[in-house]
Each structure stands twice: as C-alpha cells, then as structure tokens.
Amino acid sequence: MNAKTMRIAVFVLSFWLVSGELLEADQDVSVPEDWILVERVGPLEEVELTFALKQQNVNRMEELLKLVSDPDSQQYGKYLTLEEVAALVQPSQLTEKVVQNWLQSHGVKNCHTVVTRDFLQCVMTVQVAEALLPGSKFHRYRRDSHTLLRSTSLYSVHEDVHQHLDFVGGVHRFPPKGKEISKGWEGARQSALGYHLGVTPSVIRSRYNLTAKDVGTATNNSQAVAQFLEQYYHPADLAEFMSLFAGGFTHMSAVERVVGTQGGGKAGIEASLDVEYIMSSGANISTWVFTNPGRHETQEPFLQWMLLLSNMSAVPWVHTISYGDDEDSLSDAYMNRINNEFLKTGLRGISMLFASGDSGAGCRHLTKERNTFRPSFPASSPYVTTVGGTSFKNPFKLSYEVTDYISGGGFSNVFAMPDYQVGAVGMYLKSVQPLPPQTYFNNTGRAYPDLAALSDNYWVVTNRVPVPWVSGTSASTPVVGGILSLINDQRFLKGLPSLGFINPRLYKLKGKGLFDVTEGCHLSCLDDKVEGKGFCASPSWDPVTGWGTPNYPVLLAALMD
C-alpha cells in the first residue's frame, strides 16, 4: 500500500513454530524506520497477550447467517442474542482445558475472557511471556510520544497447544504512522482546479434525496464509529460542525456514549470526519464512539474492539470503520478468525461497514518484472459491507457522480466469492472489456466494494477550525452508515428487525435504490501492462463503486419489508 492508503494499525499475528516447522507467519516483523528501539524490557515488567481460542460450529454459523440475512428465507431477521451466539461458538471443553493448563503451568493466573469464551486476555511478566513463547524477546520501541512493547523474533508454541489456538495478539506487529491512514489525512488533496464546491451535510442530503424530515425518531436505534491509531474527536468540534452545517434538519450535537479512553491533545481529522458525517447523515440517532480501548503497551486497539463486541449484549446496530491493511501483510489464520468475528456480529443483526481503501486496486511488486493488484482486509471479508468512493462529475454543482480514482476495490486472494454476489460479479467479468490481465487479480475471490458514496472534498471541523478538501473512503463509509441507520429507524417504527448483514439483500435488489456509477477507473500499478489503471466502472455492479450510491427514498422503500 502506498502512503495514501488507509491501514489498520492493530493486527497482530503469530508465528506457529512446531517441531521446527513454520506453519503460519506474519510476513513483516522487521522494525519500521519510524519506531526507535529504546531498551530491552525488564523481566518483571508486565505485558498483556490475547489468546484466540479455536471456535466451534463455524460452518453452522455460516449457514445461519445466510438464513437470517436472506429476505426470501423464513428465518430472515430472526437474529441471535450474544448468549445464543456464545452457545454456538464457544471453544470445546478440551480446548479451554488445554490452554488454561498451559497458561497455569507457567504461573499465568491474571486472565479474563469474554461472553463467547473464545478469547483470553492475560497479564503476565515479560519473563513469563518469554517462557510461554520460547524465542520471543520483548523490547520497548518509541515513535514520537508513543511507546510499544514488541518482540520481533520468531517464537514457538507447544505442540499440544497450537492446535487449540488461532493466534496470539500483542507480540509482533507495529502500527503505521497516522499519515498513512488516508489521502485526506495528509493535509487534504486539492484538485487541479484549485477550488471545489466542497461536500457538506446539505450537499450529502441533497444528492441522496434526504429531506429535512428524514431524521431518526425511534428510541431503540443507535449507530457507532470505531477509531484507532491515537485518533480522537473533540466534542467542541462536533458541536461547532453541527452549528455551521446542520441548520436545516433536526440533529444531535453530542455523542451519546464513548467506549474506551479519549486521549488528550489535538483532535484527529479522521476521527472528526467519522463522527460528524455519521451524525449528520444518520441525523438525530444515538451515536457511540469506540476509541482506543487499549491500556497496555502490548494491546492492539482493533483487537480490543473485537473483544468488546464479544462481551457486550447491547451494542449499536450499525458500525462504520475506516481502516484496512494489505491482505498479504496478514496471515490467513488471522484473517479467517477475524472473519468469524464478523460472522458473529451478523448473526446478532449488526451491520458492519468498512471503507474499501484509498489505493484503487493497489499494487504489489512481486519481482522486478511482475506486479499484481493488492486487495485490502477487512474490505475483502465476505461478511462485511464495503464502501467505495465517488466524486461529482462537475465539482461546482450537484451533478451526477463518477468514480473517485482512489476508490479501493478488487478481488480477495484469501476469501472465495460468496454465493450472494456470484451472478453480479460474473456479469461484470463477462461484459466489461478489456479487463486487466488475469495475472493481476483472482477472479474467483470475494469482490468488493458493495456500494459507494461521495469520498472527495469534504468539509470537516477539527480543533475548532473548518477544514476543506478532506477526502477518502473514510468519508463515504460513515455517510452510508448513517443512511442505513435511518432505514433501520423506519424499520423499528414498523416493528421490523434491523437490516443486519445487508449484502445478500443488497445484491438481490440488483441496484434498485442506488444511483449507478458508470464512469471512471481507479488507479493501480504503474507499469507497462496496466499503466496505472485498475478496474473501471460499468452499468450494474463493478469493483470500483459496487452497485452505486444511495437514492434514499427508493432504497428505503425497497428495504421496508
């Protein structure tokens, strides 16, 4: 991924070294240049590690998710409680016993689990951690004002234990710099024209046909954003934003609940963007912010957030997350396990929206002469709804939308194409010519994004200052999230369940309720074969903007049964 790509700073993978054989590997355990080695960590200092225990009944969960998410199924909308999910997924007694005995044999006692019992978080000394994971050597690293405990050496897991674990969190992976999150975060991308009309809540609401009456009124509705990478929003910025830009419709000017610890210092543009636009598109709906819940230097905020969802019976119905990482930087074991976590949320009727990324099709340099496109995760998960980006054809007025060239999209190299999209993707692959060379992408993989929204030239208030030209799919994702929250609101008022995992229903609509985006291509490898061009938009679904952007009243009508 290039420096303008959104990244998750929080995935931690493990090395499984059993009888001398490397089974799973994080492919990058070198120390990034911006992290400075401070010291070898003392043996009595504490670390906190997260153990992902093998789950049961994953195939059954997949079958159930299809049933509760398919509008043609008699079980549509009959979601499970967290406790019912736990009864399905919790590890076997043998798995729990083996892992607990292993930990206790090393004197590890300070552990806590979650409702689903498939994660254990344990605090221990460095001396114990290094005995538990032979080969690991923890050091303290510093970047700016932040410190981190990590081991960059390979380690082993006891042969009797490794089959009961998916991964251990808190060991290897280093977060990227915040400037890598998105093109917008580096100080905003300004157009060649030097001036844009700028996207504000009134522009969003006009383009997507939201009236002043299209605001939340249901008491049992809620939505959320999740923020990592030391990103914080300031309540004063949100109030100022609403004062400046939300005068034409009923809205809330404060977040209902913050889960985690809000840091001090300056507000982050990305955090401000997420909150301001989910609350102005999903107006007057209770909003939560999940923010940097990690406490120990070894904790990983994304992993902490996943654990919170497995431990909270009542959480918001729509979550939008603006992060992703290259599939090839993560192990298959890790991605498959996180995928299972998304399965769990879908079974509970929760909608998970992820930004598709800001590097187009991406580019991975395999050799001097061979490149391939570079899919992003969790955007490539078949159990989340992935949001791409668009721009106005004419930036000086409310015109139709075309592809934003940064809009992430493509085909997973890890996850197979899910049944719900086989027809739509097959049509694209057959009807669009020319396609990029087959060696650049996996035409049998999960294809994304699923839909899109404007991602170019947003106005944001951060540190009490209105800032223009903020761009990226981190902008489009909370907008779509807010619109889905409004649809949930109307469903709740009629006694209907939440939309939940919307993809199967979205693909059955075949574009109904969405403005089809048919112009433009996104970027990719700068080589003589593709010359910087990835996939191109087309009628119906495409791997740049999905099915298109929301036409709220039509989409609402299509989703009200």
Side-chain angles (χ1 to χ4, degrees):
M1 281 184 160
N2 64 30
K4 294 183 177 180
T5 303
M6 297 180 307
R7 300 178 63 88
I8 290 179
V10 294
F11 286 134
V12 179
L13 308 183
S14 298
F15 280 86
W16 300 118
L17 199 56
V18 181
S19 302
E21 181 183 0
L22 187 63
L23 299 182
E24 285 290 345
D26 179 350
Q27 297 170 2
D28 181 13
V29 291
S30 60
V31 181
E33 292 180 359
D34 53 326
W35 285 97
I36 299 170
L37 174 62
V38 177
E39 60 189 354
R40 177 84 159 92
V41 181
L44 299 183
E45 286 203 49
E46 287 189 337
V47 295
E48 179 168 89
L49 302 182
T50 301
F51 301 90
L53 280 65
K54 288 283 186 183
Q55 299 164 317
Q56 296 191 102
N57 299 312
V58 173
N59 290 340
R60 175 63 179 150
M61 288 201 302
E62 291 174 342
E63 294 168 5
L64 278 174
L65 183 64
K66 288 180 181 179
L67 292 173
V68 299
S69 306
D70 181 353
D72 296 329
S73 164
Q74 290 187 342
Q75 287 183 247
Y76 178 68
K78 295 180 180 178
Y79 302 123
L80 278 62
T81 64
L82 176 60
E83 290 70 27
E84 289 170 333
V85 171
L88 271 175
V89 78
Q90 65 185 36
S92 68
Q93 289 183 341
L94 176 62
T95 288
E96 290 197 68
K97 185 176 181 180
V98 168
V99 174
Q100 288 170 0
N101 287 347
W102 174 58
L103 293 170
Q104 289 170 5
S105 70
H106 286 80
V108 179
K109 298 178 181 178
N110 185 5
C111 296
H112 58 273
T113 187
V114 292
V115 172
T116 49
R117 303 188 65 82
D118 47 359
F119 284 106
L120 268 179
Q121 283 196 300
C122 302
V123 177
M124 65 198 78
T125 64
V126 166
Q127 185 175 27
V128 169
E130 292 179 353
L132 196 67
L133 307 172
S136 62
K137 295 178 181 179
F138 283 87
H139 293 78
R140 177 171 283 105
Y141 296 87
R142 186 183 74 246
R143 183 178 67 192
D144 301 325
S145 61
H146 305 299
T147 59
L148 197 64
L149 299 187
R150 286 292 180 267
S151 170
T152 58
S153 55
L154 308 191
Y155 62 83
S156 60
V157 173
H158 194 281
E159 187 172 5
D160 295 336
V161 178
H162 93 275
Q163 62 187 305
H164 297 285
L165 291 173
D166 284 327
F167 65 85
V168 181
V171 184
H172 280 149
R173 197 164 180 78
F174 287 81
K177 286 185 72 68
K179 72 177 184 180
E180 296 180 349
I181 298 172
S182 163
K183 65 182 183 180
W185 313 153
E186 296 182 70
R189 173 173 63 101
Q190 191 168 352
S191 75
L193 294 171
Y195 174 78
H196 263 193
L197 170 69
V199 174
T200 64
S202 62
V203 170
I204 291 289
R205 296 179 75 85
S206 294
R207 170 58 189 158
Y208 299 139
N209 291 324
L210 292 160
T211 70
K213 295 180 180 179
D214 293 319
V215 297
T217 57
T219 56
N220 58 337
N221 198 8
S222 55
Q223 58 190 5
V225 297
Q227 300 168 351
F228 315 113
L229 293 174
E230 303 296 332
Q231 281 276 331
Y232 312 111
Y233 91 98
H234 282 183
D237 290 339
L238 175 60
E240 179 74 9
F241 177 85
M242 292 300 187
S243 174
L244 287 172
F245 297 117
F249 52 92
T250 304
H251 60 270
M252 296 180 181
S253 295
V255 167
E256 169 115 350
R257 182 176 176 185
V258 174
V259 181
T261 306
Q262 274 274 104
K266 289 185 177 181
I269 290 182
E270 179 242 325
S272 303
L273 172 69
D274 285 349
V275 174
E276 289 165 6
Y277 279 91
I278 197 170
M279 291 185 67
S280 54
S281 56
N284 210 42
I285 294 173
S286 170
T287 304
W288 295 20
V289 173
F290 288 81
T291 176
N292 285 312
R295 294 181 182 176
H296 288 259
E297 289 176 288
T298 44
Q299 281 187 335
E300 294 292 341
F302 180 81
L303 208 49
Q304 290 294 106
W305 171 70
M306 297 300 306
L307 266 64
L308 281 172
L309 296 182
S310 283
N311 215 29
M312 299 175 73
S313 295
V315 293
W317 296 107
V318 173
H319 293 247
T320 75
I321 304 96
S322 300
Y323 300 86
D325 211 344
D326 303 325
E327 276 189 348
D328 58 83
S329 73
L330 308 167
S331 79
D332 288 3
Y334 183 84
M335 287 184 281
N336 280 312
R337 175 54 186 266
I338 296 300
N339 208 40
N340 293 350
E341 300 307 303
F342 298 141
L343 255 179
K344 286 157 63 176
T345 60
L347 284 173
R348 297 170 62 189
I350 298 166
S351 302
M352 284 284 175
L353 277 66
F354 276 85
S356 69
D358 292 347
S359 293
C363 187
R364 185 183 182 195
H365 306 290
L366 299 177
T367 66
K368 269 190 174 182
E369 298 181 356
R370 188 185 168 207
N371 296 324
T372 185
F373 294 160
R374 199 169 204 178
S376 174
F377 180 82
S380 64
S381 167
Y383 300 127
V384 304
T385 300
T386 305
V387 183
T390 62
S391 302
F392 281 124
K393 176 69 171 179
N394 183 338
F396 298 102
K397 62 182 182 181
L398 286 172
S399 57
Y400 67 92
E401 293 164 77
V402 297
T403 294
D404 187 350
Y405 70 92
I406 54 86
S407 180
F411 295 77
S412 174
N413 290 320
V414 176
F415 302 106
M417 189 180 298
D419 293 343
Y420 62 74
Q421 67 171 187
V422 167
V425 179
M427 186 66 68
Y428 176 84
L429 293 173
K430 289 177 185 177
S431 62
V432 173
Q433 295 296 331
L435 288 169
Q438 182 55 53
T439 55
Y440 279 73
F441 68 101
N442 170 28
N443 65 5
T444 63
R446 175 350 187 191
Y448 69 96
D450 303 300
L451 73 173
L454 287 162
S455 57
D456 199 19
N457 294 297
Y458 276 63
W459 281 90
V460 174
V461 172
T462 186
N463 299 302
R464 303 299 295 272
V465 177
V467 177
W469 301 317
V470 176
S471 302
T473 52
S474 294
S476 54
T477 307
V479 166
V480 173
I483 288 173
L484 293 185
S485 290
L486 288 178
I487 296 174
N488 268 344
D489 208 85
Q490 292 299 307
R491 289 178 61 86
F492 294 156
L493 292 173
K494 291 197 173 184
L496 297 171
S498 64
L499 290 169
F501 176 50
I502 195 176
N503 289 18
R505 186 161 192 177
L506 182 69
Y507 280 78
K508 284 192 174 185
L509 289 178
K510 297 183 178 179
K512 185 178 181 181
L514 297 157
F515 294 113
D516 197 2
V517 179
T518 60
E519 289 185 25
C521 307
H522 62 187
L523 54 84
S524 72
C525 301
L526 287 170
D527 59 30
D528 58 359
K529 291 182 180 177
V530 294
E531 298 179 337
K533 188 169 80 170
F535 298 100
C536 296
S538 72
S540 272
W541 182 90
D542 59 69
V544 189
T545 60
W547 286 104
T549 62
N551 182 355
Y552 176 72
V554 182
L555 187 60
L556 173 66
L559 295 174
M560 282 304 292
D561 57 17

